[in-house]
């Protein structure tokens, strides 16, 4: 059993008052708040060890480099990767997916090749492939959904043909808060010798992920959604793919030898980490994952599942409230009658309650659902049933004002 009150004390921002009401922060799918140990790490790195990594013989540079590489090792263990050089630090999920689109695409794809994504993807797992489509002439195939917003696995199986080169799928939808059967999706792709990129932006904060057990070829996630700092994320890739893939960005650190007539590239992971990395953010991300390990990802999952089930039970009592999909532990998207979600969100905001409204960067899913957007409440380990009660009171009040 977690002591949520103790956990909350580690998050200074949770003591804020918004319009003189206690903050009820239910926008965790957009970004999580940060525990004090992560905030302090950022300050400590600048105060005690700031120097550019990898290039210096001097003491501070070596200390900073060691701390950054320890963080890589923390990430490796966190996701169960075989080698730490399979962990590439990026700016976040978006950059990780763009890296794969550009480098995997540039190395392995040609006109007429096909990739598979799904109807429920975030724009960051759609647009990079469209850019590649414009560049190379590849085809994008889209897995349809069944009536209750689940991936249509039978239709997915039918999308494979001799030209299929990659599957790129969200593990958990940021709109529906539902977990896709990622192991089954990977196994089906592998039976066709097709690799899979898992968008783990919404799963890494909420469930144990072991890339070896899943046999995922790539995994992308963002630090800021898992109690870490903004501006830093991860791409995991199997060594065999990363070795073969051309670099993404060119610049310092990613090279072995530069001549005007020929440049050779550095080894993994540095081949994909051009320029000065956000080593401060990377070190703080390591601290965030250590924090998650201390609380226990299974404990986090259990608590968030309980919260979600409680919130669903309460929400279903509200007349004319529609829930989209079958949320199982991180986020709930809903609409009430013909109330515009932005109006609902604005009234809740005045009560100190932060939810997100809009299309959630998933316009094709909104088109499929035939709606412009939803209201979304999303949970983290520090949320409580009392906060959900406050949300319900807020919704009831908003409904009275708006109907
Ligand atoms: N994929 C999913 C499923 C997401 O929820 C998000 C963030 N909302 C992203 C990708 C993009 O993450 P970031 O903006 O941190 O790069």
């Amino acid at each position: 059993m977690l002591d949520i009150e103790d956990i909350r004390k580690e998050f200074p921002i949770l003591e804020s008052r918004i319009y003189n009401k206690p903050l009820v922060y239910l926008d965790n799918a957009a970004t999580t708040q940060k525990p004090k140990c992560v905030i302090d790490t950022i300050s400590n790195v600048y105060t005690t060890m700031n120097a550019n990594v990898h290039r210096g013989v001097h003491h501070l540079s070596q200390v900073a480099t060691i701390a950054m590489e320890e963080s890589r090792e923390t990430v490796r263990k966190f996701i169960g990767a075989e080698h730490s050089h399979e962990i590439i630090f990026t700016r976040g999920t978006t950059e990780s997916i763009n890296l794969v689109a550009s480098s995997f695409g540039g190395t392995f794809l040609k006109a007429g090749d096909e990739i598979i994504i799904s109807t429920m993807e975030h724009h960051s797992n759609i647009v990079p492939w469209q850019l590649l489509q414009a560049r190379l002439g590849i085809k994008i195939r889209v897995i349809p959904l069944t009536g209750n917003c689940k991936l249509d696995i039978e239709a997915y199986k039918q999308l494979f043909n001799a030209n299929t080169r990659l599957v790129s799928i969200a593990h958990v939808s940021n709109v529906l808060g539902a977990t896709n059967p990622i192991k089954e999706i990977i196994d089906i792709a592998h039976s066709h010798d097709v690799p899979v990129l898992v968008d783990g932006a919404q799963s890494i904060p909420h469930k144990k992920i072991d890339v070896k057990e899943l046999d995922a070829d790539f995994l992308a996630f963002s630090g800021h959604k898992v109690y870490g700092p903004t501006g830093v994320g991860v791409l995991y890739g199997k060594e065999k793919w990363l070795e073969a893939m051309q670099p993404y960005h060119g610049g310092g650190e990613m090279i072995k030898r530069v001549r005007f007539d020929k440049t050779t590239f550095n080894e993994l992971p540095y081949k994909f980490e051009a320029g000065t990395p956000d080593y401060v953010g990377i070190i703080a991300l390591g601290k965030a994952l250590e924090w998650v390990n201390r609380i226990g990802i299974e404990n986090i999952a259990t608590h968030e599942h309980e919260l979600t089930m409680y919130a669903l039970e309460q929400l279903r009592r509200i007349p004319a409230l529609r829930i989209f999909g079958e949320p199982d532990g991180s986020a709930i998207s809903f609409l009430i009658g013909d109330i515009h979600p932005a109006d609902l969100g604005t009234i809740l905001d005045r009560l100190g309650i932060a939810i997100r409204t809009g299309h959630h960067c998933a316009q094709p899913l909104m088109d499929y659902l035939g709606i412009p957007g939803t209201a979304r409440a999303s949970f983290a380990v520090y949320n409580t049933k009392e906060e959900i009660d406050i949300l319900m009171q807020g919704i009831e009040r908003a409904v009275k004002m708006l109907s």
Side-chain angles (χ1 to χ4, degrees), residues 44-165:
N44 283 342
V45 174
Y46 282 123
T47 310
T48 65
M49 64 168 87
N50 182 50
N52 206 334
V53 287
H54 294 311
R55 277 164 243 185
V57 291
H58 65 79
H59 177 78
L60 285 184
S61 175
Q62 289 181 10
V63 172
T65 303
I66 289 168
M68 173 173 155
E69 293 306 322
E70 279 173 359
S71 191
R72 201 186 302 275
E73 180 59 13
T74 303
V75 174
R76 182 195 71 74
K77 286 202 199 116
F78 195 80
I79 62 170
E82 174 99 34
H83 307 292
S84 59
H85 59 252
E86 295 174 315
I87 308 301
I88 312 292
F89 287 116
T90 65
R91 286 193 298 124
T93 310
T94 301
E95 189 175 55
S96 297
I97 298 174
N98 275 276
L99 190 163
V100 177
S102 177
S103 297
F104 182 93
T107 307
F108 296 112
L109 301 188
K110 58 178 187 326
D113 283 346
E114 299 186 2
I115 66 136
I116 298 176
I117 60 174
S118 88
T119 308
M120 65 170 77
E121 299 310 312
H122 188 279
H123 294 164
S124 65
N125 195 23
I126 300 174
V127 184
W129 307 111
Q130 291 175 326
L131 294 174
L132 199 63
Q133 182 173 41
R135 203 170 102 202
L136 296 180
I138 63 159
K139 240 195 203 165
I140 299 169
R141 313 285 306 264
V142 181
I143 310 172
L145 305 185
T146 59
N148 54 359
C149 291
K150 290 192 181 299
L151 291 179
D152 185 337
I153 297 294
E154 289 312 308
Y156 167 59
K157 290 179 186 166
Q158 302 307 315
L159 293 179
F160 286 88
N161 62 40
N163 297 323
T164 313
R165 296 284 174 267

Side-chain angles (χ1 to χ4, degrees), residues 87-329:
I87 308 301
I88 312 292
F89 287 116
T90 65
R91 286 193 298 124
T93 310
T94 301
E95 189 175 55
S96 297
I97 298 174
N98 275 276
L99 190 163
V100 177
S102 177
S103 297
F104 182 93
T107 307
F108 296 112
L109 301 188
K110 58 178 187 326
D113 283 346
E114 299 186 2
I115 66 136
I116 298 176
I117 60 174
S118 88
T119 308
M120 65 170 77
E121 299 310 312
H122 188 279
H123 294 164
S124 65
N125 195 23
I126 300 174
V127 184
W129 307 111
Q130 291 175 326
L131 294 174
L132 199 63
Q133 182 173 41
R135 203 170 102 202
L136 296 180
I138 63 159
K139 240 195 203 165
I140 299 169
R141 313 285 306 264
V142 181
I143 310 172
L145 305 185
T146 59
N148 54 359
C149 291
K150 290 192 181 299
L151 291 179
D152 185 337
I153 297 294
E154 289 312 308
Y156 167 59
K157 290 179 186 166
Q158 302 307 315
L159 293 179
F160 286 88
N161 62 40
N163 297 323
T164 313
R165 296 284 174 267
L166 184 74
V167 173
S168 189
I169 293 289
H171 189 177
V172 172
S173 156
N174 64 313
V175 176
L176 307 166
T179 308
N180 289 321
I182 201 68
K183 179 72 185 131
E184 189 183 0
I185 289 166
I186 292 172
D187 288 347
I188 292 167
H190 285 177
S191 73
H192 295 272
D193 279 333
V194 173
V196 179
L197 162 57
V198 179
D199 173 352
Q202 297 294 344
S203 55
I204 278 282
H206 307 291
K207 54 182 85 245
K208 176 85 196 122
I209 293 185
D210 186 306
V211 288
K212 272 209 298 208
E213 226 170 85
L214 288 178
D215 203 16
D217 297 273
F218 299 99
L219 170 74
F221 70 92
S222 302
H224 70 96
K225 292 187 199 277
V226 59
Y227 310 103
T230 53
V232 57
V234 169
L235 173 70
Y236 158 80
K238 277 185 188 165
E239 182 185 60
K240 67 168 180 179
W241 296 118
L242 295 177
E243 282 288 3
M245 279 157 55
Q246 63 191 47
Y248 179 41
H249 293 147
E253 210 53 49
M254 53 76 72
I255 50 85
K256 204 167 251 160
R257 183 75 171 89
V258 178
R259 294 175 197 272
F260 283 118
D261 58 347
K262 184 175 168 51
T263 288
T264 50
F265 303 126
N266 205 341
E267 59 206 22
L268 294 176
Y270 312 111
K271 180 171 97 175
F272 291 106
E273 293 180 353
T276 300
D278 180 3
Y279 52 89
V280 180
I282 290 168
I283 296 167
L285 172 60
K287 191 52 94 180
L289 297 183
E290 281 169 20
W291 184 84
V292 170
N293 285 336
R294 174 157 72 72
I295 305 296
I297 190 77
E298 274 91 4
N299 297 332
I300 293 174
T302 305
H303 175 66
E304 291 171 343
H305 182 76
E306 270 174 35
L307 282 181
T308 307
M309 293 306 123
Y310 180 69
L312 283 171
E313 196 185 304
Q314 303 300 311
L315 283 168
R316 286 194 177 115
R317 295 196 178 141
I318 295 173
L321 188 138
R322 268 198 298 167
I323 288 159
F324 297 92
E326 294 176 12
D328 59 28

